[in-house]
Amino acid sequence: QLRERQRDWERLLSNPAWGQLIETLQAQADALQKEVLYRPLTCDADVYQRERQAGRLIGLLSVTDTVTTLQSEIEVEIDRLKQGDSK
């Protein structure tokens, strides 16, 4: 079952649609980052909007990190099971 999950992730990441999704997310993140970093605050309400934008930015950027973490967890579990089988 772990090998199947690993293959599923590999298929997803090799799918051209995944590449398009990541490009789109990165473009959105780039635009949002410029807004968060360079747009001046003109009133108190801007602070709250900026915080929401920063939260969105973190969410957009976390997608690839989440996938990497999930893949690593699967690999660690596979290695752990291999070590248990060899004992």
Side-chain angles (χ1 to χ4, degrees):
Q1 185 179 5
L2 285 172
R3 292 271 185 214
E4 187 176 326
R5 285 176 49 205
Q6 187 179 37
R7 282 190 296 273
D8 288 344
W9 280 108
E10 289 169 357
R11 281 193 297 269
L12 173 66
L13 297 176
S14 65
N15 188 313
W18 174 257
Q20 291 173 343
L21 173 64
I22 294 302
E23 286 177 16
T24 301
L25 292 175
Q26 188 61 55
Q28 290 175 357
D30 290 346
L32 203 51
Q33 186 174 24
K34 287 176 187 171
E35 180 102 3
V36 167
L37 293 176
Y38 301 116
R39 186 171 181 216
L41 298 173
T42 57
C43 66
D44 290 343
D46 287 349
V47 174
Y48 301 111
Q49 180 180 354
R50 183 71 44 91
E51 288 299 317
R52 285 192 302 275
Q53 289 172 326
R56 262 187 71 210
L57 179 59
I58 290 168
L60 289 169
L61 296 175
S62 71
V63 171
T64 53
D65 289 339
T66 301
V67 170
T68 301
T69 299
L70 290 169
Q71 285 183 294
S72 295
E73 288 174 354
I74 291 169
E75 290 172 11
V76 166
E77 187 64 21
I78 288 171
D79 289 344
R80 189 183 64 76
L81 291 172
K82 282 182 187 176
Q83 290 174 358
D85 289 345
S86 65
K87 290 183 180 180

